[in-house]
């Protein structure tokens, strides 16, 4: 990815679950893992950052949130803590985006999303719905309700708005077109029975079936996952790489559970997707989606034909 900004102006979106916000303070300051994470993020120059597990970023008057703003030179927002006390966050680069509204969500969510309305300065007349989410780790029905709420926000595209969101889905992509085979929940290698119940539903014959509701619902509604688009349209198969689970064979091993989504106009502006290696920093890789700035401008103005809904029978 080095040098991509020298080729053409771009807008970079990163979604990143930094495990437990890097840990508690050390000597009154954010720990080394947190500092390493933000150094890594700065190397990749995000313009929109969708964060999960901002565990300590509400403490002491949001001190760590403001420290991240200063380090990244971005404007930051943080969601309500929820029952898991592990809030989401969202950052935008103020030289590119203006922020017009910030929403708070009802207790329906285990971890409420961070949800704003922004606009690209080059296209101030078009609102962009931006969301950072972390779906319930423990409840298939909870994730279904949360995905339906994401869809309610994305429905604003019918009123001329744009949509850009993502996060840790805590469940799997629809298997069609994926590179990582689905988990065989009957395998003796699956030893974490609690995790299996968190991430599966009972099939017609009683066997366990992986939860894919969020991905199926968002794709079915006409949103697009940039990694799929990059892999199948831009010939970048590595975009479909795993983002978590490398060290958890008893849970099914490596999986692509961190995903972002764009509306059917914006998706045409995607030029690159990659999974950023974060070993030693977090148990999740970061997903980096790069958009052409010129393409994003045309997409927001809807001068680009909307991409047809993804064919789940691909």
């Amino acid at each position: 990815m080095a040098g991509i900004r020298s080729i053409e102006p771009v807008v970079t979106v990163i979604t990143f679950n930094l495990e437990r916000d890097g840990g508690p303070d050390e000597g009154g300051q954010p720990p080394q893992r947190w500092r390493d994470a933000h150094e890594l993020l700065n190397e990749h120059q995000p313009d929109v950052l969708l964060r999960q597990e901002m565990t300590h970023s509400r403490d002491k008057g949001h001190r760590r949130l403001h420290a991240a703003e200063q380090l990244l030179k971005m404007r930051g927002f943080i969601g309500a803590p929820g029952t898991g006390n592990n809030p989401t966050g969202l950052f935008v680069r103020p030289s590119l985006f203006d922020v017009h509204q910030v929403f708070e969500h009802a207790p329906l969510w285990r971890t409420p999303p961070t949800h704003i309305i922004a606009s690209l300065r080059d296209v101030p007349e078009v609102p962009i719905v931006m969301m950072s989410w972390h779906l319930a780790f423990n409840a298939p029905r909870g994730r279904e309700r949360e995905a339906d709420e994401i869809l309610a926000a994305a429905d604003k595209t019918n009123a001329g708005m744009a949509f850009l969101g993502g996060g840790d889905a805590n469940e799997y992509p629809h298997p069609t077109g994926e590179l990582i085979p689905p988990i065989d929940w009957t395998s003796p290698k699956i030893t974490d029975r609690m995790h299996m119940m968190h991430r599966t539903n009972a099939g017609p014959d009683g066997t366990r079936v992986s939860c894919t509701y969020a991905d199926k619902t968002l794709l079915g509604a006409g949103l697009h996952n940039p990694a799929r688009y990059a892999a199948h349209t831009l010939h970048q198969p590595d975009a479909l790489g795993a983002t978590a689970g490398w060290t958890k064979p008893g849970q099914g091993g490596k999986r692509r559970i961190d995903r972002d989504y764009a509306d059917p106009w914006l998706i045409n502006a995607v030029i690159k997707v990659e999974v950023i290696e974060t070993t030693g920093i977090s148990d999740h890789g970061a997903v980096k989606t790069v958009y052409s700035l010129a393409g994003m401008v045309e997409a927001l103005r809807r001068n680009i034909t909307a991409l047809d809904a993804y064919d789940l029978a691909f």
Side-chain angles (χ1 to χ4, degrees), residues 23 44 105 133 171-172 186 207 212 215 259 268 274 280:
H44 290 272
H105 283 263
W133 58 74
E171 62 175 47
Y172 312 103
T186 66
T207 58
T212 60
D215 193 46
R259 302 184 296 274
N268 293 283
E274 66 170 317

Side-chain angles (χ1 to χ4, degrees), residues 232-252:
H232 298 300
T233 302
L234 304 179
H235 309 294
Q236 299 170 15
D238 289 349
L240 294 176
T243 65
W246 300 282
T247 62
K248 297 178 179 179
Q251 296 182 354

Side-chain angles (χ1 to χ4, degrees), residues 101-117:
Q101 289 179 277
V102 180
F103 296 96
E104 292 187 358
H105 283 263
L108 167 73
W109 297 74
R110 178 178 176 84
T111 300
T114 307
H115 177 188
I116 68 172
I117 303 292

Side-chain angles (χ1 to χ4, degrees), residues 2-262:
I4 196 164
R5 285 182 181 267
S6 66
I7 298 172
E8 65 169 301
V10 299
V11 177
T12 298
V13 178
I14 293 179
T15 182
F16 181 36
N17 182 339
L18 173 56
E19 184 182 12
R20 302 297 292 178
D21 211 7
D25 282 359
E26 297 172 352
Q29 299 296 325
Q32 188 63 50
R33 281 202 302 130
W34 187 93
R35 297 196 298 272
D36 290 344
H38 287 78
E39 181 178 339
L40 177 64
L41 288 169
N42 266 332
E43 291 176 10
H44 290 272
Q45 303 176 65
D47 299 303
V48 178
L49 174 61
L50 310 174
R51 269 286 316 275
Q52 297 81 48
E53 298 202 17
M54 294 188 65
T55 316
H56 304 283
S57 292
R58 297 180 65 91
D59 300 346
K60 300 176 182 177
H62 296 183
R63 187 177 69 180
R64 198 178 288 192
L65 171 70
H66 298 315
E69 289 180 311
Q70 292 177 345
L71 286 170
L72 298 171
K73 297 179 175 59
M74 301 176 78
R75 183 177 176 189
F77 304 86
I78 192 166
T83 57
N85 196 30
N86 213 9
T88 58
L90 194 158
F91 296 78
V92 295
R93 192 163 301 285
S95 59
L96 276 179
F97 294 97
D98 290 312
V99 176
H100 307 291
Q101 289 179 277
V102 180
F103 296 96
E104 292 187 358
H105 283 263
L108 167 73
W109 297 74
R110 178 178 176 84
T111 300
T114 307
H115 177 188
I116 68 172
I117 303 292
S119 63
L120 186 69
R121 289 198 165 183
D122 289 352
V123 194
E125 69 275 14
V126 180
I128 307 170
V129 178
M130 294 186 181
M131 294 185 76
S132 171
W133 58 74
H134 193 171
L135 303 189
F137 81 95
N138 63 322
R141 248 56 60 204
R143 290 192 297 274
E144 290 175 8
R145 291 192 299 271
E146 292 169 349
D148 291 343
E149 291 300 305
I150 295 170
L151 207 58
D155 188 62
K156 299 299 184 184
T157 57
N158 286 325
M161 296 187 183
F163 181 84
L164 193 63
D168 182 348
N170 271 324
E171 62 175 47
Y172 312 103
H174 187 281
T176 299
E178 292 290 317
L179 297 184
I180 300 171
I183 297 172
D184 176 7
W185 294 101
T186 66
S187 169
K189 296 179 181 178
I190 304 299
T191 56
D192 190 333
R193 307 292 292 183
M194 188 74 72
H195 183 82
M196 181 173 71
M197 299 309 293
H198 289 333
R199 302 297 172 88
T200 65
N201 287 306
D205 60 356
T207 58
R208 306 308 298 183
V209 178
S210 292
C211 294
T212 60
Y213 181 88
D215 193 46
K216 286 188 295 187
T217 297
L218 299 182
L219 294 177
L223 296 178
H224 287 269
N225 171 226
R228 282 183 182 268
Y229 178 81
H232 298 300
T233 302
L234 304 179
H235 309 294
Q236 299 170 15
D238 289 349
L240 294 176
T243 65
W246 300 282
T247 62
K248 297 178 179 179
Q251 296 182 354
K254 59 183 183 179
R255 297 290 127 194
R256 194 172 79 88
I257 66 170
D258 304 88
R259 302 184 296 274
D260 55 325
Y261 296 82

